[in-house]
């Protein structure tokens, strides 16, 4: 096995003296060239995927041309980067987060590939690699936005550049840091309290999303007759059903985040003047999209949904508190920490989880067309995240403090040996 290239100070990692031997190193590419190649590969992967789905839909349709289908696929790719596409009197700015996650995963892998091919290890090289990767990807999105615009279809080149470059910078830099080993160095330099709070916050977010996903799946199963009725109404055929399945798959994360906002209390909207919240539902007619079959009927919501709004953040907080306690008690200096320090770390994890959920909920909404569909998403994303963070803080602080207070004292531990 080959060791990673030299560290930032020019010495091999680990500080061990190796016996002299033949120097075997993998061929490397310049930093800028590696960034350009990886960004181009990510660009082609995303565009070809979107274009393939659009062309399949064109094959099932009886109108339009292949060029229009490819343009539609490119537009979907741009929308996934939160670049607004204007269609006549309406606009589409709601990003299908399933597609966004796929593109982010591709960019993460691209960042790892760029770091591996260039063997970048020094700080300035990592910055140059991440910056070039994001700039090239964003510049390509700007060019695609200019080429996609045709007649009634208009795309803002600036929003395309900023959206694509931002996603490439976040996901690509993460891949670069992980592959180069810099992520481990950053983790080692981070204070223990914050280092324990980050995975605890991620655990709380995943817990909330898992419960929301389970609830959404149960509601879909309860209203399965609506799903079959919509499919019969659409009568899309085999090829059209494949395209419809792909569209629903890309929008599933959006719907799950809407359920999260529902569990938080403020709820969400599926059009101007609509409300879907635990206090009541007022939505009227909805588009014939199978994903929307889980939306409750107009009127009061079931009582068990109201109970979940209080239980879900507490359960997520308990999970975060357990993670904080487990990691904190494993530290060598855990004996010097009192229960109040663990409670503080639990509250810090809940705050970070609230910020993460706010970002996700804010990205999940936008405009889905003209007229009534110009407002879809979570208008009260900040209050929803605040409610969730408060509930998680209570659960995390109490759980972490209780676990820490029940640990055996030094004298008790020595007597039990």
């Amino acid at each position: 096995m080959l060791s990673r290239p030299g560290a930032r100070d020019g010495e091999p990692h680990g500080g061990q003296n190796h016996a002299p031997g033949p120097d075997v190193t993998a061929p490397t590419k310049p930093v800028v060239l590696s960034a350009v190649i990886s960004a181009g590969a990510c660009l082609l992967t995303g565009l070809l995927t979107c274009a393939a789905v659009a062309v399949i839909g064109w094959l099932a349709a009886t109108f339009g041309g292949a060029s229009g289908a490819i343009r539609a696929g490119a537009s979907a790719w741009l929308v996934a980067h939160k670049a607004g596409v204007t269609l006549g009197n309406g606009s589409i700015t709601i990003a299908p987060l399933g597609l966004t996650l796929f593109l982010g995963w591709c960019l993460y892998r691209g960042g790892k590939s760029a770091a591996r091919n260039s063997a970048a290890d020094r700080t300035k090289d990592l910055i140059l690699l991440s910056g070039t990767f994001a700039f090239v990807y964003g510049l390509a999105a700007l060019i695609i936005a200019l080429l996609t615009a045709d007649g009634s279809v208009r795309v803002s080149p600036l929003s395309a550049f900023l959206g694509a470059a931002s996603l490439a910078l976040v996901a690509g830099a993460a891949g670069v840091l992980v592959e180069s080993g810099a992520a481990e160095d950053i983790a080692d330099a981070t204070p223990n309290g914050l280092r324990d709070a980050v995975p605890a916050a991620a655990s709380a977010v995943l817990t909330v999303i898992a419960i929301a996903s389970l609830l959404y799946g149960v509601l879909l199963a309860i209203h399965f007759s609506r799903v079959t009725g919509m499919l019969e109404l659409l009568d899309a055929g085999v090829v059209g059903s494949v395209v419809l399945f792909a569209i629903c798959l890309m929008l599933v994360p959006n719907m799950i985040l809407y359920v999260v906002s529902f569990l938080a209390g403020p709820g969400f909207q599926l059009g101007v003047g609509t409300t879907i919240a635990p206090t009541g539902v007022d939505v009227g007619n909805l588009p014939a999209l199978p994903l929307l079959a889980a939306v409750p009927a107009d009127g009061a919501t079931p009582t068990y949904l109201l109970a979940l709004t209080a239980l879900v953040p507490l359960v997520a907080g308990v999970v975060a508190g357990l993670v904080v306690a487990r990691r904190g008690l494993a530290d060598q200096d855990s004996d010097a920490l009192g229960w109040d320090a663990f409670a503080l770390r639990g509250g810090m994890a809940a705050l970070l989880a609230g910020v993460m959920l706010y970002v996700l909920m804010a990205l999940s909404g936008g405009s889905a067309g003209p007229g009534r569909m110009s407002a879809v998403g979570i208008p009260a994303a900040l209050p929803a995240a605040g409610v969730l963070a408060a509930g998680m803080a209570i659960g995390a602080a109490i759980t972490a403090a209780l676990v820490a207070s029940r640990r055996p004292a030094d004298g008790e531990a020595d007597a039990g040996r």
Side-chain angles (χ1 to χ4, degrees):
M1 297 179 64
L2 300 179
S3 62
R4 190 164 66 90
R8 294 175 185 80
D9 57 0
E11 297 296 333
H13 277 264
Q16 299 178 354
N17 295 325
H18 298 278
D23 235 0
V24 180
T25 57
T28 60
K29 299 182 179 65
V31 171
V32 174
L33 180 60
S34 298
V36 172
I37 293 175
S38 297
C42 295
L43 175 71
L44 290 177
T45 301
L47 277 178
L48 290 177
T49 302
C50 295
V53 175
V55 169
I56 292 174
W58 167 71
L59 292 175
T62 57
F63 56 89
S67 61
I70 295 175
R71 186 177 291 107
S75 299
W77 182 84
L78 290 170
V79 170
H81 294 88
K82 293 297 286 186
V85 176
T86 302
L87 301 172
N89 296 327
S91 62
I92 299 178
T93 60
I94 180 171
L97 293 184
L99 180 57
T100 304
L101 290 174
F102 170 73
L103 297 176
W105 177 80
C106 291
L107 291 168
Y108 171 77
R109 300 291 299 178
K112 293 188 68 174
S113 176
R116 183 169 56 252
N117 292 334
S118 64
D121 193 51
R122 299 181 182 277
T123 303
K124 62 178 183 179
D125 293 334
L126 298 178
I127 295 175
L128 177 61
L129 182 63
S130 302
T132 304
F133 181 82
F135 177 78
V136 171
Y137 191 81
L139 184 62
L142 185 149
I143 296 173
I144 293 171
L146 294 175
L147 296 176
T148 302
D150 179 32
S152 60
V153 179
R154 299 185 303 275
V155 184
S156 171
L158 180 59
S159 65
F161 174 80
L162 293 178
S166 299
L167 181 62
L169 183 61
V170 173
V176 169
L177 293 177
V178 170
E179 183 65 25
S180 64
E184 298 179 4
D185 298 338
I186 295 174
D188 293 338
T190 304
N192 291 339
L194 181 58
R195 188 172 56 194
D196 295 343
V198 171
S203 301
V205 171
L206 291 177
T207 301
V208 172
I209 292 178
I211 296 175
S213 303
L214 179 61
L215 176 60
Y216 181 65
V218 170
L219 291 175
L220 274 180
I222 293 175
H223 300 104
F224 188 73
S225 59
R226 295 184 187 176
V227 177
T228 56
M230 290 181 181
L231 293 176
E232 292 176 358
L233 179 64
L234 293 173
D235 191 19
V238 178
V239 180
S241 298
V242 172
V243 177
L244 181 62
F245 175 77
I247 294 174
C248 291
L249 191 63
M250 292 187 293
L251 291 174
V252 164
N254 299 68
M255 295 302 302
I256 292 175
L257 289 173
Y258 296 164
V259 177
V260 170
S261 69
F262 182 91
L263 294 174
F268 60 99
Q269 62 181 4
L270 292 174
V272 177
T274 62
T275 302
I276 301 97
T279 54
V281 178
D282 181 14
V283 69
N285 295 325
L286 290 173
L289 189 64
L291 286 178
L292 302 181
V295 176
D298 290 353
T301 56
T303 306
Y304 70 90
L305 293 179
L306 294 174
L308 286 177
T309 59
L311 292 177
V312 169
L314 291 177
V315 171
V318 169
V319 173
L322 291 175
V323 173
V324 166
R326 181 181 63 83
R327 294 178 62 90
L329 293 176
D331 291 339
Q332 295 180 353
D333 57 347
S334 61
D335 295 337
L337 299 176
W339 63 267
D340 53 342
F342 283 89
L344 179 61
R345 292 184 180 186
M348 188 185 306
L351 179 61
L352 290 175
V355 173
M356 294 178 187
L357 288 172
Y358 168 72
V359 173
L360 292 174
M361 289 188 289
L363 293 175
S364 65
S367 174
R372 181 187 177 189
M373 300 306 295
S374 61
V376 175
I378 309 170
L382 184 58
V387 171
L388 291 172
M392 289 186 293
I394 295 174
I398 293 177
T399 301
L402 285 177
V403 174
S405 62
R406 292 175 62 87
R407 59 183 170 177
D410 293 340
E412 298 176 359
D414 294 338
R417 288 174 184 162

